[in-house]
Amino acid sequence: EDCEVEGSIGHGIMAGVGIMNASNKTKFLDPAKRIAFRRLSVHHTVNNNDHTKSPWGSAVKLNNAKYGIIEDCYVHDNGGEGIDLDNAWQVIIQGNISANNRANIYLDKASGVSVRNNLCYYTSRPSANIFLSMEVYSALVRDLFLVDIDIENNVLFGSNGVAFWQGTVSAIQRAHFHSIHIRHNTMIGKTLTGSGMLHFAYAVSGGKPVQNVSIKNLSFTNNIVSAHPDSVRTLVTGPLNPQ
Protein backbone atom coordinates (compact mmCIF):
# COMPACT_ATOMS: atom_id res chain seq x y z
CA GLU A 1 0.00 0.00 0.00
CA ASP A 2 1.00 3.63 -0.65
CA CYS A 3 4.19 2.70 -2.50
CA GLU A 4 5.96 4.24 -5.50
CA VAL A 5 8.30 2.43 -7.87
CA GLU A 6 10.16 4.20 -10.66
CA GLY A 7 12.83 3.17 -13.12
CA SER A 8 13.16 -0.59 -12.57
CA ILE A 9 14.84 -2.80 -15.18
CA GLY A 10 12.22 -5.57 -14.92
CA HIS A 11 8.96 -5.94 -12.99
CA GLY A 12 7.86 -2.97 -10.93
CA ILE A 13 5.98 -4.78 -8.14
CA MET A 14 5.20 -8.50 -8.32
CA ALA A 15 3.67 -10.83 -5.74
CA GLY A 16 2.93 -14.52 -5.82
CA VAL A 17 4.97 -17.66 -6.48
CA GLY A 18 6.43 -19.36 -9.53
CA ILE A 19 4.10 -21.69 -11.40
CA MET A 20 6.67 -24.46 -11.95
CA ASN A 21 8.71 -26.28 -9.33
CA ALA A 22 12.28 -25.20 -10.06
CA SER A 23 13.72 -28.61 -9.18
CA ASN A 24 11.03 -30.68 -10.92
CA LYS A 25 9.62 -29.32 -14.17
CA THR A 26 6.70 -31.79 -14.11
CA LYS A 27 5.31 -30.36 -10.87
CA PHE A 28 3.16 -27.24 -10.48
CA LEU A 29 3.18 -25.14 -7.34
CA ASP A 30 0.05 -24.15 -5.43
CA PRO A 31 -0.82 -20.46 -5.82
CA ALA A 32 -0.11 -17.80 -3.25
CA LYS A 33 -3.28 -16.55 -1.52
CA ARG A 34 -4.82 -13.31 -0.28
CA ILE A 35 -2.79 -10.52 -1.85
CA ALA A 36 -3.79 -6.84 -2.00
CA PHE A 37 -2.21 -3.99 -3.98
CA ARG A 38 -3.61 -0.57 -3.03
CA ARG A 39 -2.66 2.99 -3.96
CA LEU A 40 0.51 2.10 -5.83
CA SER A 41 2.27 4.48 -8.20
CA VAL A 42 4.39 2.55 -10.69
CA HIS A 43 5.90 4.29 -13.69
CA HIS A 44 8.85 4.22 -16.11
CA THR A 45 9.69 0.61 -15.20
CA VAL A 46 10.65 -2.33 -17.41
CA ASN A 47 13.38 -0.43 -19.27
CA ASN A 48 10.96 2.27 -20.33
CA ASN A 49 13.75 4.87 -20.21
CA ASP A 50 16.24 2.77 -22.20
CA HIS A 51 14.89 1.91 -25.63
CA THR A 52 18.10 0.08 -26.58
CA LYS A 53 17.00 -2.79 -24.33
CA SER A 54 14.02 -5.08 -24.86
CA PRO A 55 11.29 -4.61 -22.26
CA TRP A 56 10.52 -7.64 -20.13
CA GLY A 57 8.14 -7.75 -17.21
CA SER A 58 5.08 -5.95 -15.90
CA ALA A 59 4.61 -2.85 -13.78
CA VAL A 60 2.15 -4.45 -11.32
CA LYS A 61 1.76 -8.23 -11.38
CA LEU A 62 0.03 -11.05 -9.54
CA ASN A 63 1.78 -14.30 -10.47
CA ASN A 64 0.19 -17.68 -9.70
CA ALA A 65 -2.08 -16.14 -7.09
CA LYS A 66 -5.56 -16.71 -5.69
CA TYR A 67 -7.89 -14.24 -3.94
CA GLY A 68 -6.46 -10.86 -4.80
CA ILE A 69 -7.38 -7.23 -5.28
CA ILE A 70 -5.65 -4.43 -7.20
CA GLU A 71 -7.27 -1.06 -6.60
CA ASP A 72 -6.71 2.69 -6.67
CA CYS A 73 -3.33 2.40 -8.39
CA TYR A 74 -1.76 4.76 -10.92
CA VAL A 75 0.28 2.75 -13.42
CA HIS A 76 1.66 4.65 -16.40
CA ASP A 77 4.44 4.90 -18.99
CA ASN A 78 5.96 1.47 -18.41
CA GLY A 79 7.87 -0.56 -20.98
CA GLY A 80 5.87 -3.72 -20.24
CA GLU A 81 2.28 -4.47 -19.29
CA GLY A 82 0.65 -2.16 -16.79
CA ILE A 83 -1.51 -4.37 -14.52
CA ASP A 84 -0.94 -8.08 -15.18
CA LEU A 85 -2.50 -11.29 -13.93
CA ASP A 86 -0.59 -14.46 -14.78
CA ASN A 87 -2.30 -17.68 -13.70
CA ALA A 88 -4.67 -16.04 -11.23
CA TRP A 89 -8.03 -16.87 -9.66
CA GLN A 90 -10.71 -14.76 -7.97
CA VAL A 91 -9.18 -11.32 -8.43
CA ILE A 92 -10.76 -7.85 -8.51
CA ILE A 93 -9.09 -5.08 -10.53
CA GLN A 94 -10.95 -1.85 -9.80
CA GLY A 95 -10.61 1.90 -9.64
CA ASN A 96 -7.17 2.05 -11.25
CA ILE A 97 -5.69 4.44 -13.82
CA SER A 98 -3.48 2.61 -16.30
CA ALA A 99 -2.00 4.61 -19.17
CA ASN A 100 0.58 4.28 -21.96
CA ASN A 101 1.78 0.82 -20.99
CA ARG A 102 2.54 -2.03 -23.38
CA ALA A 103 -0.95 -3.28 -22.51
CA ASN A 104 -2.81 -1.35 -19.85
CA ILE A 105 -4.51 -4.35 -18.23
CA TYR A 106 -3.28 -7.82 -19.23
CA LEU A 107 -5.06 -11.05 -18.26
CA ASP A 108 -2.92 -14.10 -19.01
CA LYS A 109 -4.51 -17.34 -17.77
CA ALA A 110 -7.13 -16.35 -15.21
CA SER A 111 -10.48 -17.39 -13.77
CA GLY A 112 -13.16 -15.54 -11.85
CA VAL A 113 -11.83 -12.03 -12.49
CA SER A 114 -13.71 -8.72 -12.31
CA VAL A 115 -12.20 -5.74 -14.15
CA ARG A 116 -14.35 -2.73 -13.29
CA ASN A 117 -14.36 1.03 -12.89
CA ASN A 118 -10.87 1.49 -14.35
CA LEU A 119 -9.61 4.31 -16.59
CA CYS A 120 -7.25 3.10 -19.33
CA TYR A 121 -5.87 5.24 -22.14
CA TYR A 122 -3.11 5.88 -24.65
CA THR A 123 -1.67 9.14 -25.88
CA SER A 124 1.59 8.00 -27.45
CA ARG A 125 1.74 4.28 -28.29
CA PRO A 126 -0.52 1.71 -30.00
CA SER A 127 -1.53 -1.19 -27.79
CA ALA A 128 -4.61 -2.81 -26.26
CA ASN A 129 -6.30 -1.22 -23.29
CA ILE A 130 -7.46 -4.61 -21.98
CA PHE A 131 -5.56 -7.57 -23.42
CA LEU A 132 -6.59 -11.21 -22.92
CA SER A 133 -4.29 -14.09 -23.84
CA MET A 134 -2.52 -17.25 -22.74
CA GLU A 135 1.23 -17.64 -22.63
CA VAL A 136 2.55 -21.16 -22.14
CA TYR A 137 4.80 -21.80 -19.14
CA SER A 138 5.44 -25.52 -19.70
CA ALA A 139 6.17 -27.91 -22.56
CA LEU A 140 3.76 -30.43 -21.03
CA VAL A 141 0.32 -31.24 -22.44
CA ARG A 142 -1.83 -28.67 -20.68
CA ASP A 143 -5.24 -26.98 -20.81
CA LEU A 144 -5.08 -23.23 -20.27
CA PHE A 145 -8.10 -21.17 -19.26
CA LEU A 146 -9.40 -17.63 -19.36
CA VAL A 147 -12.90 -18.14 -17.95
CA ASP A 148 -15.58 -16.26 -15.99
CA ILE A 149 -14.20 -12.81 -16.76
CA ASP A 150 -16.35 -9.69 -16.24
CA ILE A 151 -15.13 -6.46 -17.86
CA GLU A 152 -17.58 -3.71 -16.94
CA ASN A 153 -17.93 0.01 -16.30
CA ASN A 154 -14.45 0.90 -17.57
CA VAL A 155 -13.45 3.93 -19.63
CA LEU A 156 -11.04 2.97 -22.41
CA PHE A 157 -9.72 5.40 -24.99
CA GLY A 158 -6.94 6.12 -27.47
CA SER A 159 -6.53 2.59 -28.84
CA ASN A 160 -8.20 -0.86 -28.88
CA GLY A 161 -10.85 -1.49 -26.28
CA VAL A 162 -10.47 -5.24 -25.66
CA ALA A 163 -8.16 -7.59 -27.61
CA PHE A 164 -7.99 -11.39 -27.60
CA TRP A 165 -4.75 -13.16 -28.52
CA GLN A 166 -4.26 -16.91 -28.79
CA GLY A 167 -0.91 -16.46 -27.11
CA THR A 168 1.94 -18.93 -27.25
CA VAL A 169 -0.19 -22.08 -27.08
CA SER A 170 1.42 -24.95 -29.01
CA ALA A 171 -0.26 -27.82 -30.85
CA ILE A 172 -0.19 -30.05 -27.73
CA GLN A 173 -1.92 -27.49 -25.51
CA ARG A 174 -5.47 -26.18 -25.50
CA ALA A 175 -6.61 -22.60 -24.92
CA HIS A 176 -10.14 -22.02 -23.59
CA PHE A 177 -11.65 -18.50 -23.72
CA HIS A 178 -15.04 -19.09 -22.07
CA SER A 179 -17.73 -16.97 -20.36
CA ILE A 180 -16.20 -13.56 -20.95
CA HIS A 181 -18.65 -10.68 -20.58
CA ILE A 182 -17.83 -7.15 -21.75
CA ARG A 183 -20.56 -4.71 -20.77
CA HIS A 184 -21.31 -1.10 -19.81
CA ASN A 185 -17.89 0.17 -20.88
CA THR A 186 -17.13 3.42 -22.69
CA MET A 187 -14.62 2.98 -25.52
CA ILE A 188 -13.46 6.11 -27.31
CA GLY A 189 -10.63 6.88 -29.68
CA LYS A 190 -9.00 4.05 -31.63
CA THR A 191 -6.68 6.57 -33.24
CA LEU A 192 -3.45 4.65 -32.69
CA THR A 193 -4.21 1.23 -34.24
CA GLY A 194 -6.04 -0.07 -37.29
CA SER A 195 -7.87 -2.87 -35.48
CA GLY A 196 -11.37 -2.78 -34.03
CA MET A 197 -12.55 -1.99 -30.55
CA LEU A 198 -13.05 -5.74 -30.12
CA HIS A 199 -10.08 -7.47 -31.75
CA PHE A 200 -9.13 -11.14 -32.19
CA ALA A 201 -5.78 -12.71 -33.11
CA TYR A 202 -5.60 -16.50 -33.42
CA ALA A 203 -4.33 -19.13 -35.83
CA VAL A 204 -6.61 -20.36 -38.63
CA SER A 205 -6.64 -23.70 -40.41
CA GLY A 206 -9.05 -24.54 -43.23
CA GLY A 207 -11.07 -21.38 -42.71
CA LYS A 208 -11.67 -22.14 -39.02
CA PRO A 209 -9.86 -21.40 -35.77
CA VAL A 210 -7.32 -24.10 -34.98
CA GLN A 211 -8.91 -26.90 -32.98
CA ASN A 212 -6.97 -26.29 -29.79
CA VAL A 213 -8.38 -22.76 -29.40
CA SER A 214 -11.94 -22.51 -28.08
CA ILE A 215 -13.93 -19.26 -27.78
CA LYS A 216 -17.39 -19.72 -26.22
CA ASN A 217 -20.03 -17.70 -24.39
CA LEU A 218 -18.54 -14.32 -25.21
CA SER A 219 -20.87 -11.33 -24.84
CA PHE A 220 -20.34 -7.69 -25.83
CA THR A 221 -23.37 -5.74 -24.64
CA ASN A 222 -24.48 -2.24 -23.64
CA ASN A 223 -21.16 -0.59 -24.38
CA ILE A 224 -20.74 2.98 -25.64
CA VAL A 225 -18.32 2.91 -28.58
CA SER A 226 -17.02 5.91 -30.51
CA ALA A 227 -13.89 6.88 -32.45
CA HIS A 228 -12.24 9.70 -34.32
CA PRO A 229 -13.86 9.93 -37.78
CA ASP A 230 -10.60 9.47 -39.67
CA SER A 231 -9.70 6.25 -37.86
CA VAL A 232 -12.86 4.24 -37.20
CA ARG A 233 -13.26 1.21 -39.45
CA THR A 234 -15.12 -1.61 -37.76
CA LEU A 235 -16.27 -2.62 -34.33
CA VAL A 236 -14.84 -6.16 -34.59
CA THR A 237 -11.65 -7.26 -36.37
CA GLY A 238 -10.02 -10.66 -36.61
CA PRO A 239 -8.85 -13.39 -38.99
CA LEU A 240 -12.42 -14.61 -39.64
CA ASN A 241 -15.90 -13.13 -39.90
CA PRO A 242 -17.20 -12.17 -36.43
CA GLN A 243 -19.78 -14.98 -36.42
Side-chain angles (χ1 to χ4, degrees):
E1 296 184 342
D2 302 302
C3 178
E4 181 178 8
V5 174
E6 177 183 7
S8 71
I9 296 173
H11 297 294
I13 298 177
M14 179 172 70
V17 298
I19 298 173
M20 303 293 298
N21 187 317
S23 60
N24 186 343
K25 295 301 183 181
T26 65
K27 299 292 184 181
F28 301 96
L29 298 178
D30 292 333
K33 295 182 178 179
R34 293 175 294 278
I35 298 171
F37 288 148
R38 293 189 174 97
R39 299 179 301 280
L40 306 180
S41 174
V42 184
H43 56 97
H44 299 96
T45 67
V46 197
N47 283 331
N48 193 68
N49 293 324
D50 187 350
H51 297 289
T52 66
K53 298 178 181 179
S54 299
W56 183 87
S58 305
V60 175
K61 182 171 184 175
L62 283 183
N63 187 66
N64 197 26
K66 192 173 186 178
Y67 313 131
I69 188 166
I70 302 173
E71 62 180 351
D72 299 328
C73 298
Y74 184 26
V75 184
H76 65 95
D77 297 292
N78 297 286
E81 299 90 4
I83 296 172
D84 180 12
L85 301 186
D86 187 349
N87 213 53
W89 297 264
Q90 305 300 318
V91 177
I92 297 171
I93 301 173
Q94 67 178 8
N96 303 285
I97 299 175
S98 188
N100 292 323
N101 304 292
R102 194 173 184 130
N104 280 327
I105 296 177
Y106 183 37
L107 306 185
D108 174 13
K109 304 177 297 292
S111 175
V113 175
S114 175
V115 181
R116 64 195 187 207
N117 304 331
N118 300 283
L119 170 62
C120 301
Y121 65 88
Y122 289 95
T123 59
S124 59
R125 65 191 302 179
S127 192
N129 273 300
I130 298 179
F131 194 30
L132 298 89
S133 83
M134 296 177 207
E135 296 188 40
V136 172
Y137 50 86
S138 166
L140 301 175
V141 175
R142 193 78 173 163
D143 280 77
L144 306 174
F145 296 92
L146 201 59
V147 300
D148 297 325
I149 309 296
D150 291 323
I151 299 171
E152 53 191 4
N153 297 314
N154 302 284
V155 176
L156 316 171
F157 67 89
S159 189
N160 298 95
V162 181
F164 291 77
W165 175 47
Q166 174 182 332
T168 57
V169 178
S170 71
I172 64 169
Q173 291 137 349
R174 291 174 292 273
H176 304 274
F177 296 85
H178 292 181
S179 299
I180 299 173
H181 306 291
I182 304 165
R183 56 198 172 213
H184 303 293
N185 301 283
T186 299
M187 304 181 183
I188 300 172
K190 205 174 73 63
T191 59
L192 296 180
T193 67
S195 51
M197 279 300 184
L198 187 61
H199 179 67
F200 295 87
Y202 50 80
V204 175
S205 176
K208 297 180 180 180
V210 290
Q211 292 186 355
N212 62 327
V213 177
S214 172
I215 302 173
K216 295 182 179 179
N217 194 23
L218 166 66
S219 64
F220 186 80
T221 57
N222 298 101
N223 298 284
I224 297 172
V225 182
S226 179
H228 194 279
D230 67 4
S231 65
V232 64
R233 296 194 308 167
T234 54
L235 172 64
V236 181
T237 51
L240 297 174
N241 262 331
Q243 66 266 27

